[in-house]
Each structure stands twice: as C-alpha cells, then as structure tokens.
Amino acid sequence: MNPQKITMGQDGQLQVPDYPVIPFIEGDGIGPDVWSASKMVLDAAVAEAYGGKRKIEWKEILAGEKAFNQTGEWLPAETLNMAREYLVSIKGPLTTPVGGGIRSLNVAMRQELDLYVCLRPVKWYTGVPSPVVHPENVNMTIFRENTEDIYAGIEFAAGSDEAKKLYKFLNEELGGAKKVRFPETSAYGIKPVSKEGSERLVRAAIKYALEQNKPSVTIVHKGNIMKYTEGGFKQWGYEVAEREFGDKVYTWGQWDKAKKTEGEDAANAKLKKAEAEGKLIINDVIADNFLQQLLLAPQDYSVVATLNLNGDYISDAAAAAVGGIGIAPGANINYLTGHAVFEATHGTAPKFANTNTMNPSSLLLSGVMMLEYMGWHEAAARIEASLAATILSKRVTVDFYNLMTGATLLKTNEFAEELIKNLK
C-alpha cells in the first residue's frame, strides 16, 4: 500500500489514487462520537465495495477546541495548509470561539480556501420521522454561494468609530443617511455580491443539473427589494446560463422576451417545447415565496442556486422537512481548484458530548458525498442503501427513537455496527 495525495489534473478532473490520504477534523462536542462511528462505516463500505483494493489513509488535522488546547490557536495555519495540499478533507462540527477573533471557524475555512459552493442535497429516507405529510416530495440539491453576502463579515458595531465614519460617508457623499432612522445607535453590515461570484455559483449549479439530468435550476433571490445585490445575482445567473449553455437550457428570461415580442401563448408554447426536448429550465423565485413553496410544492424544485444568507435559511428549512439537520449532509467545494471540505451540518451539542448517543448520519452522509466526489460511487451507494434499510428496521439513535413507535434504541457506535451489518 502506497498512500498518495489526491490531485487536480490538467483536464480539471480529480486524480484519485487507490490509497488516498484524506485529512479529517473530528470536531468538538459530539464530534468525536459521530466521527468515530462515521469512520467505521466509511472504511467498511470501501473495503466491501472494492475488496481491499482501495483504502482511505486518514490524517488528523486540528481545529476548534482540540486545536486551541494543543496549540493555542482555534484554526492553525498548518490545518489550512494541509487542507490546501490534500484537496479533499472532512470535518465534524466545530464550536465558535466566544469573544473576539474568528467569527466562525466554518466560515473562516470557507473564506480561506475559497470554497465558493456550499452543496446541500436534501432528500427523504423512508421511515425517517418528518413534520410534513409528504416528505417524499422533497428531493433537491441546494447550491449556496459561500464566500460573499453578509457572511463576508464586513460589519461595524454601533457607536464605533467605523460606524460613525460610514454614516458620515453615507450622509455627505451618497445622500443615503436619511434611510438610517437611529444613526447614533445603528450597527452596519455590508453585503458584497459580485458578478464573478454569482456567475461561478450558478455555473456550477447548471453543470451539476445537466450532468445529473435534472429538470430545472431555480435562482432564489430577494431582488425585488435588494435590486443591485440580489437582483444582480438573478440577472447574472440568467446571463451566464444563456451565454455559456446555449440550447441546452431555456430560461425564464427567454420566456419573458418571447412574451413581450410574440405574446404569452407563443412564449408558453416555446417553454413547453423546451421541456419536451429535455432542455434544462432556468427559472427564479423570490426567497420568501420559495420558503413557502418548500412546504406547499417541493416537488416543483430540483436544483436551487442562491446567495449565502438565503441558502442558510433554505437548506435548514428543507432539511427539517426530511427529518432535520441530524440527517442532512453538506460540502464546501471549489470546483475550479478541486478543494472540498465535507462536513456535518449540525452543531456541537456539548450537552451530549461523550455520551455515545447522537445520530452520526449527517457526517456519514457527508462522507457519502465525499466518496461520490472522489468517483467511488460503489461504496457511496452501499452506505446509502444500508442507511435506508437500517432506518426502515427502526434500529435507530435517540433522535429518531423518540419519534417512532416500536423502535429499538441504539447507541452511536451500535448504530454504526448495524449499518456495517447492512452493507452486505
């Protein structure tokens, strides 16, 4: 066995050796419990799928409380360097330091590595308790822009010198100070949204939808109010679709042009023709309406492209419909460089640290996403099938146990062992 790094080829495709070295961060709070269980299943699935011809060589890197306790830093430079060097990594939940310094370790990693896509697939596994009547109608993949919007962290505290300077600039240079009702006590946040950042996010969503033979990409925005930021995101999204994907797509922008020049009936006929030809439909929805549609008509949405804050709300709301973020995977990806960090989407839940009771499915399914990203689809499929079978058998951890009738309660490691049994 000769462990090697995953690399990015000149053709823009990942080069994955049979024995790749993959860095991991076990995480804080319940992180060690869910990571240990997830690692067991990931290793067993790879061994089962490839008969020992492939194997992951795990390499621990530090972040969060463990890093602070050992190095005095929450996010050591060496950790970021390792994530850059090895391209693909996976992490458990991390705590956010209290007080000054890093606002969020997760956000810091995304910014430092320019992981511009937060990828959140959301689908229901039969038997998972859900608050909605038809969770099976939810099957969508959310592309959340990951580096701009208010998550860029450009904020100024109320009463600070920076806030006063910004108000003065608004007042004297831009004439916008009248919109600030209480200037003496106002804090400020700046929301950068770029054409380049918007285009690369929507481009990634469209490429994914075409590769996966999805019917639509929906641009979700609040452009009716924030006309130059969210409205720009919508406009740039349509432009990149029409400019770069040609007759593979049909956009609502094209529909709107046809409506104005040829009439609504002719525009609708063109839309129906595009759907019949299997073209990818690019449309858009206002963010607040989309949150309503998640409950009323989730079957109408397949791939979603949205900005950072909207994506935060939408991905967790969608996850709630299929059982909660305890079973929701996530990844942060730069498709241009190949860098990717796969992560649990839930928090550290320190109250339950070291209790061996929590559901590892979020981190495990993030590992499934990682295997798929590496091209190891056979191992990924085995884990998904095993998870579905295990949930259906009602042998589950406490979160699902409390919502099921006739279930058997398992510890975290016992749930992992059940998953391994069902891999075959």
Side-chain angles (χ1 to χ4, degrees), residues 334-352:
N334 184 318
Y335 287 100
L336 303 175
T337 65
H339 289 99
V341 178
F342 298 82
E343 64 180 357
T345 60
H346 53 70
T348 59
K351 177 181 177 181
F352 299 101

Side-chain angles (χ1 to χ4, degrees), residues 144-303:
R144 168 190 172 192
E145 201 291 318
N146 223 7
T147 61
E148 299 189 321
D149 202 353
I150 64 168
Y151 276 79
I154 307 172
E155 286 192 302
F156 308 106
S160 67
D161 289 341
E162 294 85 357
K164 292 174 183 176
K165 288 177 183 178
L166 182 58
Y167 176 75
K168 182 179 179 181
F169 177 72
L170 289 172
N171 188 36
E172 297 178 0
E173 301 292 333
L174 300 181
K178 292 180 180 179
K179 296 180 180 179
V180 182
R181 289 185 179 273
F182 306 104
E184 296 300 322
T185 58
S186 289
Y188 300 91
I190 294 178
K191 177 188 180 79
V193 176
S194 70
K195 180 179 180 181
E196 292 86 351
S198 299
E199 287 187 345
R200 68 180 183 174
L201 185 281
V202 176
R203 182 183 297 117
I206 293 173
K207 284 184 175 180
Y208 171 88
L210 289 170
E211 289 168 1
Q212 300 295 322
N213 197 31
K214 300 292 186 179
S216 66
V217 171
T218 301
I219 299 170
V220 178
H221 62 94
K222 192 64 178 170
N224 57 328
I225 302 299
M226 291 172 275
K227 298 184 184 300
Y228 303 117
T229 51
E230 305 252 347
F233 177 76
K234 169 193 168 184
Q235 176 186 335
W236 295 323
Y238 276 133
E239 288 175 357
V240 77
E242 294 175 15
R243 183 178 69 246
E244 297 185 12
F245 296 94
D247 60 3
K248 294 180 181 178
V249 305
Y250 187 83
T251 73
W252 276 15
Q254 292 170 307
W255 177 89
D256 191 51
K257 290 176 186 176
K259 178 185 175 183
K260 290 175 181 176
T261 58
E262 303 174 43
E264 187 168 352
D265 289 343
N268 288 337
K270 286 189 172 183
L271 176 59
K272 289 182 179 179
K273 182 174 183 289
E275 291 173 333
E277 292 173 348
K279 290 185 179 181
L280 179 67
I281 306 302
I282 314 294
N283 53 31
D284 73 275
V285 177
I286 301 297
D288 47 343
N289 183 36
F290 184 79
L291 287 166
Q292 178 181 225
Q293 296 306 312
L294 274 178
L295 296 177
L296 298 178
Q299 69 277 3
D300 291 344
Y301 303 96
S302 177
V303 177

Side-chain angles (χ1 to χ4, degrees), residues 97 117 141 148 172 226 297 305 321 391 421:
V117 170
T141 305
E148 299 189 321
E172 297 178 0
M226 291 172 275
I391 291 171
K421 281 198 301 184

